[in-house]
Amino acid sequence: MSSYSAEEIRDLIAGMRDEEVAQRRKSARASVAIAQVLGPQRTREELLPYITETVSDVEEDEEVLLDFAEVLGSQAMLDAAGGVAECTSLLLPLESLASTDDGVVREKAVGAVSFVLGKMPPALLQADGVSLVRQLASAEFASPKTSAAPALGLCYSKLPTSDSSRKELRELFVNLCQDDSPLVRKAACGVFGQVCKASTQLEVQTELLPQFARLAQDPQDAVRIAAVPNIGDLAAHLSKEKVKAQVIPVLRQLCA
């Protein structure tokens, strides 16, 4: 439990929006202690929405955002918010952090999102995990869409093959593979193998193989390079004839 007094907790909450970066960082790092004093319900209903607003207000302060991302992706904060049954409450501030333009902050936020999604039981994952992926993947700008890729890969791999949400996730994944931003396409390459492993042979052949062919011939070198490591996972779901006819030529072209 927290060793802070009620007055100190009030000061820490106010400090999240202090003019001094040092005070904002101190308050951000004390978020778990604040939550422990407030209790699970007030943490979910008051503190986490307040942190979400604060993240938007201090979006240019990388160190503060990193502190929030680290705390929100911790077991201690999950417990303080009410445990696994209430883990969805952590996704709103994490969605904001995963949408920032700062790549370092996004990477930390994605790690925190993965932690929370990894704790979700199937019912919550189907509802709230998929909803988060949908929000990030459908955003206007590239930053949230790059964060959508790893969240999508995790959700997709954890959902049972009979789950109807998987079709929507594959459609969102195809959109990421075809996005105008090379950063988003590269992020999609990063989870391509994970999506392949969790897909049926038919899904790989009809939906994913065409996307791999596009990514492997992408005009951006970084995207093509990121596509290469997925060949093994892709080929494992294809017939020898398909590999010979559609994968080997692409591989030869990459090596040319």
Side-chain angles (χ1 to χ4, degrees):
M1 287 296 293
S2 170
S3 60
Y4 292 104
S5 67
E7 182 177 354
E8 288 173 323
I9 291 296
R10 286 194 294 271
D11 290 341
L12 285 170
I13 294 174
M16 288 183 180
R17 300 187 181 182
D18 194 89
E19 292 183 359
E20 296 295 327
V21 173
Q23 180 58 52
R24 292 200 296 273
R25 293 197 67 189
K26 177 183 176 181
S27 294
R29 292 194 296 265
S31 297
V32 171
I34 297 171
Q36 290 172 339
V37 170
L38 293 178
Q41 183 172 352
R42 291 190 65 193
T43 293
R44 296 192 302 272
E45 296 178 357
E46 300 175 29
L47 178 60
L48 292 174
Y50 186 78
I51 289 176
T52 303
E53 294 175 4
T54 301
V55 165
S56 299
D57 291 342
V58 299
E59 60 182 6
E60 295 183 0
D61 293 328
E62 177 185 311
E63 292 179 331
V64 178
L65 296 179
L66 285 171
D67 288 332
F68 274 125
E70 182 170 357
V71 169
L72 290 168
S74 68
Q75 184 66 48
M77 180 57 89
L78 179 63
D79 293 339
V84 171
E86 303 293 345
C87 61
T88 297
S89 60
L90 298 173
L91 292 182
L92 188 59
L94 285 174
E95 180 183 342
S96 295
L97 287 165
S99 301
T100 61
D101 291 333
D102 190 301
V104 177
V105 173
R106 282 203 315 275
E107 183 177 355
K108 191 73 172 179
V110 166
V113 168
S114 297
F115 169 78
V116 175
L117 293 179
K119 295 287 185 178
M120 281 186 168
L124 281 181
L125 194 68
Q126 181 187 40
D128 301 316
V130 172
S131 177
L132 172 69
V133 172
R134 186 186 302 121
Q135 288 291 110
L136 292 172
S138 303
E140 180 180 359
F141 300 108
S143 294
K145 287 189 278 192
T146 60
S147 297
L152 186 152
L154 181 57
C155 282
Y156 188 75
S157 63
K158 287 193 66 179
L159 288 170
T161 55
S162 59
D163 196 299
S164 59
S165 300
R166 285 165 56 88
K167 185 177 187 299
E168 179 187 0
L169 289 177
R170 287 197 307 277
E171 291 171 351
L172 291 172
F173 182 66
V174 167
N175 290 340
L176 295 178
C177 291
Q178 299 179 4
D179 194 81
D180 290 339
S181 168
L183 289 176
V184 177
R185 300 196 301 274
K186 182 181 177 183
C189 289
V191 297
F192 200 100
Q194 186 178 23
V195 174
C196 280
K197 288 178 181 178
S199 299
T200 66
Q201 185 178 43
L202 180 61
E203 290 163 354
V204 171
Q205 290 182 357
T206 60
E207 300 176 44
L208 301 181
L209 179 57
Q211 302 314 312
F212 175 79
R214 289 170 60 97
L215 293 168
Q217 300 176 67
D218 196 273
Q220 296 291 322
D221 290 346
V223 177
R224 295 197 303 274
I225 292 170
V228 171
N230 299 299
I231 290 177
D233 292 322
L234 182 73
H237 286 75
L238 300 173
S239 65
K240 291 181 180 180
E241 292 74 16
K242 285 279 187 181
V243 172
K244 184 177 180 179
Q246 298 187 46
V247 177
I248 297 300
V250 173
L251 181 59
R252 286 174 176 162
Q253 186 172 1
L254 281 170
C255 297

